[in-house]
Amino acid sequence: MQKVLKLAPFFLLPLLIIAGTLYMVRTYTPNVSYKDQVAVLLYHHISDTDTSSVTITPALFREQLTYLRERNYQFITMKQFKEFMAGGEVPDKAVLVTFDDGYESLYENAYPILKELQIPAVNFVITETLDNPPAGSLKFMNKRELQALASSKEVNIDCQCHSDGMHNKQNGNPLLITNMIVDGQPETDAQYDERVLRDAQLCSDKLRSNGSSEPDAYAYPYGFYNKHASSLLQKAGFRYAFTVVSEITTKEDDPMQIARITGGSPWVKPKSLDRAIQRNVIDGKKPSDYVSFRKVIEDLGGTVDVSKDRTVSFHVRGKHGKIKPDSSTIELNGDEMPLKHPARIKSRKVQIHYEDLQQIFGIDVVHIPFGDEFKARVTPKRSQTDS
């Protein structure tokens, strides 16, 4: 019996090592750090009683923010974000918290948590609700509450615009991008322009009169916008506009198309939010040399076939063609396109230069460290005139 007792730990040790390894693999969450990028988070309603796809409990909200802080994320103000977009610096793993609509629950339920944790936020307000709150159980904040947030000395809450009366639809079409039917007649383009400009100015004026010192940011109602609507908002004095595209933000991005990652859903648990951010972090060391052609095509959702002579046939995003190793051209939709750098073979795989990859497909292809994959960015770069 004594021999068995002595030998038991020896036999158990490999099992304990295996069990511990499996536990670590199951519970380990990669922690990709990042510089010169900001994860802008999107929330709407914080409530213990209401339920919806854009409503989370105060407890979950607190858990998300606490978990991110424990993972060394750094929360920044809107002022810091603006400075970043103008070329300034932000802390590593920077996060900006934003709320859409201006619900009373931001003041009653989220604000106390933000104060306690000392986390700044942005409040995008539908300003027509300040004077004429719509009927229903979902309450919007009043002027007193908005003024209290805008003037808070305990934590920075920057109040910005979510339109005055544009957060609505006509026949299913968002008002910001639609020529409305008025008295049975569609608006002319001039009338549409006048309505959008008037609404934007009204939103800005109401925010200023209720404590917002610099209302120059706009969250698109429902996330819908187009180039013309954006240009009208710029004409009205808005320098930044926020979308609902789930990507991380870089200072090279179009300031009128700032992406946001959703945190305000009951299905987004703290670890899920962390991973959502991680899956969008762009490799700070942007590929400047050759990359595996096959891997890029497959990561972008395409298909690849490699022949015996290493010729790669591919289909991706409506484009098809062939590329041969050591070739200075690529066949694309039946046409030959020149390459600035010849394709090459490395480790028996065809590689293409990153500069040629961008030009051929006409999209911003980035490398995501989390998962080691390539991804097409939706958010466009800023134009030269914005720089």
Side-chain angles (χ1 to χ4, degrees), residues 46-282:
I46 310 293
S47 174
D48 268 322
T49 56
D50 298 333
T51 58
S52 78
S53 61
V54 293
T55 300
I56 63 172
T57 64
L60 178 55
F61 182 59
R62 181 194 297 275
E63 288 168 9
Q64 287 180 348
L65 300 183
T66 301
Y67 185 80
L68 293 183
R69 176 164 280 172
E70 290 171 351
R71 301 279 288 174
N72 297 318
Y73 288 94
Q74 305 296 315
F75 295 94
I76 65 172
T77 65
M78 185 63 173
K79 183 176 183 291
Q80 288 176 288
F81 180 79
K82 292 176 184 179
E83 292 170 349
F84 165 74
M85 293 301 290
E89 302 298 320
V90 288
D92 294 355
K93 300 188 74 172
V95 174
L96 178 66
V97 175
T98 72
F99 286 83
D100 278 7
D101 300 338
Y103 293 124
E104 190 176 59
S105 67
L106 165 55
Y107 178 79
E108 291 187 341
N109 299 328
Y111 180 47
I113 296 171
L114 294 169
K115 283 195 297 184
E116 177 190 337
L117 300 179
Q118 283 298 289
I119 292 176
V122 185
N123 174 25
F124 288 107
V125 186
I126 304 171
T127 53
E128 73 169 1
T129 62
L130 296 171
D131 297 318
N132 302 294
S137 58
L138 195 54
K139 294 182 179 180
F140 290 82
M141 67 179 64
N142 56 41
K143 289 182 179 181
R144 178 188 59 79
E145 293 164 337
L146 175 60
Q147 290 166 8
L149 291 180
S151 62
S152 174
K153 303 299 183 184
E154 298 175 279
V155 66
N156 186 291
I157 308 293
D158 199 306
C159 296
Q160 296 288 344
C161 185
H162 199 28
S163 84
D164 183 65
M166 292 284 188
H167 203 286
N168 213 327
K169 296 180 180 180
Q170 186 180 73
N171 300 324
N173 300 310
L175 298 186
L176 180 63
I177 59 172
T178 302
N179 288 57
M180 292 178 60
I181 304 298
V182 181
D183 297 327
Q185 297 296 321
E187 284 179 316
T188 65
D189 289 343
Q191 288 171 328
Y192 163 80
D193 289 359
E194 181 184 356
R195 173 170 59 84
V196 172
L197 287 168
R198 184 173 61 250
D199 185 275
Q201 189 60 59
L202 190 56
C203 185
S204 179
D205 290 345
K206 288 182 179 181
L207 287 173
R208 288 183 189 279
S209 66
N210 285 282
S212 178
S213 60
E214 194 176 7
D216 59 356
Y218 191 100
Y220 296 114
Y222 309 107
F224 285 97
Y225 62 98
N226 56 34
K227 186 175 181 179
H228 184 60
S230 294
S231 68
L232 290 173
L233 293 174
Q234 286 179 299
K235 187 176 179 179
F238 291 96
R239 299 173 55 203
Y240 313 91
F242 291 73
T243 72
V244 293
V245 173
S246 184
E247 292 182 338
I248 207 161
T249 298
T250 75
K251 62 182 64 174
E252 291 81 24
D253 292 345
D254 182 348
M256 295 300 289
Q257 298 187 57
I258 298 166
R260 292 187 288 178
I261 297 168
T262 294
S265 167
W267 301 286
V268 180
K269 304 306 179 186
K271 286 186 179 180
S272 302
L273 181 56
D274 177 28
R275 292 195 177 205
I277 297 172
Q278 298 277 304
R279 288 192 179 98
N280 282 285
V281 172
I282 300 170

Side-chain angles (χ1 to χ4, degrees), residues 286-337:
K286 189 173 184 178
S288 57
D289 201 349
Y290 283 85
V291 294
S292 167
F293 188 73
R294 178 171 191 159
K295 175 168 177 54
V296 172
I297 295 298
E298 291 180 340
D299 283 353
L300 294 179
T303 58
V304 172
D305 182 63
V306 183
S307 64
K308 291 182 179 180
D309 66 354
R310 298 293 172 187
T311 297
V312 178
S313 301
F314 63 91
H315 290 80
V316 62
R317 294 176 168 261
K319 297 183 178 182
H320 59 88
K322 296 179 181 180
I323 185 171
K324 296 181 179 180
D326 302 320
S327 174
S328 295
T329 63
I330 183 173
E331 180 187 316
L332 192 66
N333 291 346
D335 296 324
E336 289 287 329
M337 289 185 61

Side-chain angles (χ1 to χ4, degrees), residues 14-25:
L15 296 176
L16 291 172
I17 292 173
I18 293 172
T21 302
L22 290 174
Y23 175 79
M24 289 176 66
V25 169

Side-chain angles (χ1 to χ4, degrees), residues 4-38:
V4 173
L5 289 174
K6 284 184 179 181
L7 291 176
F10 174 79
F11 287 116
L12 285 173
L13 183 61
L15 296 176
L16 291 172
I17 292 173
I18 293 172
T21 302
L22 290 174
Y23 175 79
M24 289 176 66
V25 169
R26 186 173 65 252
T27 60
Y28 172 69
T29 300
N31 192 4
V32 179
S33 188
Y34 57 88
K35 296 176 180 289
D36 288 330
Q37 299 172 56
V38 178

